[in-house]
Amino acid sequence: MVGIVERLVPDELWALFQRVVPEAPSRPQGGGRRRYGDREVLAAIVFVATSGCTWQQLPSASFGPSGATAHRRFSEWSKARVWAKLHRLLLDELGARGELDWSRCAIDSVNMRALKSDLTGPNPVDRGKYGSKIHLITERSGLPVSVGISGANLHDSQALIPLVKGIPPIRSRRGRRRRKPGKLHADKGYDYAHLRRWLRARGITHRIARKGVEPSQHLGHHRWTVERTMASLAGRRRLHRRYERKADHFLAFTSIACTLISYHRLTK
């Protein structure tokens, strides 16, 4: 019978995680409590990310480490950028198999409630209540290739250039690494002449809806993939509402959600 740790962290995911996790610190003087295994702690973190429970509510009887231990390890790994490295490693595996389609990419964002903390701001579409925003670029089938966070009051157009620049060089089945889509689809929130010029200068064909010219649904048959991915991110309950005060912790949970989406595609 497969236990909860093996179910949340299958062997394939665990093998990939071992390639990016830093080595455990040594204790030259010896003594102290036994350090919980990384796989058990990773399973506890995935459980928090998907269930939305607090660290204090983590059922330690099922995983072994307490919520405090899991949170401490989560902070250490977030500082070491383990989650971003794991996501990129999965993208490399998918790219090497030819699972990434660079012909069309799409960009979008989603708002969520948040406490007053790092990278938050009054949400213009939610009565000015404080919130944060997740910005995302997906390839043609909906796999996330670049992700970022901001306050809810940041206009979508201001995130396009950093997100496109943030696409890492990803392996391909043949040839050199790719980091540039053939086309980029976006809604009217990105309809600015300087963004169109910037994309053209980098050889990226823009497909941005024009204000007052095209209906909002004009690009729907290409943009539905990024909207589906946004819904999948919100399905990870920890991202349904922002609880993390530190921006890097919120970004870490976003990267974990993107990693799980990519892993599910890898194991199909």
Side-chain angles (χ1 to χ4, degrees), residues 15-136:
L16 292 171
F17 183 78
Q18 287 180 296
R19 293 167 58 180
V20 298
V21 67
E23 292 185 6
S26 60
R27 291 175 175 170
Q29 75 280 9
R33 290 186 176 183
R34 178 183 67 85
R35 178 182 171 91
Y36 280 104
D38 287 343
R39 188 169 185 175
E40 289 76 13
V41 176
L42 177 59
I45 294 171
V46 171
F47 181 81
V48 171
T50 54
S51 69
C53 74
T54 65
W55 296 106
Q56 291 78 11
Q57 294 171 332
L58 181 71
S60 57
S62 301
F63 299 98
S66 65
T69 299
H71 180 260
R72 182 167 57 252
R73 201 82 59 89
F74 168 79
S75 300
E76 293 173 2
W77 290 342
S78 299
K79 187 176 181 180
R81 303 190 72 251
V82 168
W83 314 114
K85 293 176 183 177
L86 181 59
H87 181 213
R88 179 173 175 177
L89 181 59
L90 280 160
L91 291 177
D92 275 341
E93 293 291 328
L94 288 164
R97 297 185 185 186
E99 295 284 342
L100 298 181
D101 188 342
W102 291 96
S103 61
R104 298 179 188 271
C105 286
I107 184 173
D108 207 348
S109 67
V110 62
N111 293 288
M112 61 197 59
R113 293 275 185 91
L115 301 173
K116 291 185 179 182
S117 51
D118 297 341
L119 290 184
T120 59
N123 191 341
V125 298
D126 190 15
R127 297 170 293 174
K129 294 191 175 181
Y130 267 72
S132 290
K133 186 181 290 187
I134 296 176
H135 304 269
L136 189 69

Side-chain angles (χ1 to χ4, degrees), residues 218-249:
H218 183 75
L219 299 176
H221 59 295
H222 292 304
R223 289 187 59 257
W224 67 270
T225 53
V226 67
E227 294 170 355
R228 179 188 62 185
T229 303
M230 287 294 187
S232 182
L233 289 178
R236 273 66 183 182
R237 300 297 296 175
R238 193 72 181 191
L239 295 180
H240 184 70
R241 179 172 180 173
R242 177 179 170 181
Y243 297 98
E244 281 65 42
R245 291 188 175 274
K246 294 184 178 180
D248 58 339
H249 287 184

Side-chain angles (χ1 to χ4, degrees), residues 123-262:
N123 191 341
V125 298
D126 190 15
R127 297 170 293 174
K129 294 191 175 181
Y130 267 72
S132 290
K133 186 181 290 187
I134 296 176
H135 304 269
L136 189 69
I137 292 180
T138 63
E139 50 82 68
R140 185 168 190 167
S141 64
L143 286 173
V145 295
S146 182
V147 64
I149 61 172
S150 71
N153 56 334
L154 183 80
H155 197 275
D156 287 350
S157 62
Q158 295 179 260
L160 187 146
I161 293 177
L163 273 187
V164 174
K165 287 183 175 180
I167 299 176
I170 300 171
R171 289 175 59 189
S172 300
R173 177 179 289 181
R174 293 184 298 272
R176 59 183 181 181
R177 292 175 176 265
R178 290 286 304 268
R179 63 179 307 172
K180 186 175 67 174
K183 298 179 182 179
L184 183 65
H185 292 261
D187 61 24
K188 297 178 184 179
Y190 304 88
D191 182 23
Y192 290 91
H194 72 280
L195 294 180
R196 297 176 189 272
R197 289 194 299 268
W198 187 86
L199 291 171
R200 279 197 302 266
R202 281 148 186 82
I204 302 173
T205 303
H206 55 76
R207 291 290 185 266
I208 303 174
R210 292 169 292 177
K211 299 173 184 176
V213 177
E214 295 165 328
S216 300
Q217 297 80 14
H218 183 75
L219 299 176
H221 59 295
H222 292 304
R223 289 187 59 257
W224 67 270
T225 53
V226 67
E227 294 170 355
R228 179 188 62 185
T229 303
M230 287 294 187
S232 182
L233 289 178
R236 273 66 183 182
R237 300 297 296 175
R238 193 72 181 191
L239 295 180
H240 184 70
R241 179 172 180 173
R242 177 179 170 181
Y243 297 98
E244 281 65 42
R245 291 188 175 274
K246 294 184 178 180
D248 58 339
H249 287 184
F250 179 53
L251 181 60
F253 274 119
T254 305
S255 296
I256 291 172
C258 292
T259 296
L260 295 176
I261 292 173
S262 302

